[in-house]
Amino acid sequence: MRLHDTITPHIALAALTISLVACGGGGDSTDTTIADLAPISAVPTNTAPILTLATSSLEIESLSTSSIELITSDADGDSLSLSLSSPSFISAEIQGSQLLINANDVQTQQQESLIVSLSDGQVSVEQTLLVIISPITQQSLLTLPESQFNYANIVLPQHYNVNAFANNFPFQSAAITSDNTPDNNPITDNGATLGRVLFYETKLSLNDSVSCASCHVQAEGFSDSRRLSVGFDGGETRRHSMSLTNARFYQTGKFFWDERAETLEQQVLMPIQDSVEMGLTLTQLVDVITAQPYYAALFSSAFGDETVTSERISFALAQFIRSMVSIDARYDQGRVTVNNPLDDFGNYSLDENAGKRLFMTPRNGIAPCSSCHSSEAFIGPVIADDSNATTSASNNGLDASSDADLGVFESTGSMGHRGKFKSPSLRNIEVTAPYMHDGRFDTLSQVIEHYSSGIAAHPTLQGSLRDSDGNPVRYNFSAIEQAQLLAFLATLTDESLLTDEKFSDPFVR
């Protein structure tokens, strides 16, 4: 039987079989037609399954659950199986046609790729879902009093306005003479109120997680109990957060431990732009503050119209910080009962008065502690009118040399400034541990012991901490004297400032 060339291969095979049968035997055989044969099936071809996700990306909040629709199909009717990858910050499961996503607890925004696989036993297909997990958004309600708090007209005690120390205390002066408030940014109630809101505003950070108050805690003297503060993305700051108490009375008006900010108005914007601390650009800062509905009225009250600028933000923050004046410690309560700060205070114990004398008066020819924590605001050293000094920062002999942190030198480039750091106010010192620019001392007892026996011979060591031969002095405080100094320093704690509502968080979170 002859077949035409166009017959398909499986028919040709059948025809060949027929021909062999028909021609292979005896004369009783009969011809069999193709139509008399059963059809021969083709080899089956598998079709890949189809997997469809309702979306390619999903945003979800920490500790919450979300779901998307998941559709599967297979043209061959094969049995299908689904599987999921296991990312770190989410868990997932499939319930019917829904893909359920559960977010773990995160403190900073995270991104995960969840891979969904579908198999029919022969072929697998995949889809990737990008999951963005954000920290829990705090629902904040701004609450401000109907009657404004008083920030602008704080009545300073007489001992802030008049220097009552004798003439043989040349390092002393009245705190008010060191007031660094600029003429173009006086404290106003409206401005400081705006500054208070901004100070506690977490939207000043890139991921809405930290505010100025995160590193300057009211109960901790507007300092931070951590050695190094933690920024918006979990990174640590380079230095310890200095207390903001009595910032108004730093004579030079320079800020940060290395005095790199010439004014408080400059300083308040720097952490916001720092890549570790808050992470915003000034453009982003203005945009995010403008977007919050409660700021329009606050800016209008403070500056005359609703326009938000970075300068106005800096002015308001600076006004709020300058209003953080400590005037109601036990020291102040006792001070108003005497004419001279060296006199015994009636509300002090014997040890507290003894500690005050140790702090304020020279010891065996060595300058007193108050020479570097001067005035009755207990702020940094004062530069004399006839001095050509450009900084009041000092080197207190923490180290014999400066390597990793060069202090004010990093801002000025002057070799004489290596290892020098700004001296903070000692108001509320009891609650501002740890101490020094690097937080190396956990307790005030360790600080006192440093001055008693541990001052190092650094090349730029403060002159008042050298003896006549140029060697570091030793105060050599006895155990009793150290306890007396501790007792006195505790009287500088101003509970009013630490608890006053006008300095507290105005947001209900």
Side-chain angles (χ1 to χ4, degrees), residues 351-372:
D351 281 342
E352 289 166 346
N353 274 315
K356 179 165 67 71
R357 286 191 297 273
L358 285 168
F359 185 91
M360 291 185 170
T361 57
R363 178 181 178 83
N364 300 323
I366 304 173
C369 309
S370 57
S371 64
C372 286

Side-chain angles (χ1 to χ4, degrees), residues 59 100 114 122 160 182 202 311 338 371 375 399 463 488 492 502:
E59 293 188 16
L100 301 183
L114 175 66
Q122 299 182 60
Y160 269 58
T202 57
E311 181 181 60
V338 298
S371 64
S375 86
D399 303 295
F488 164 66
L492 301 182
K502 73 180 181 182

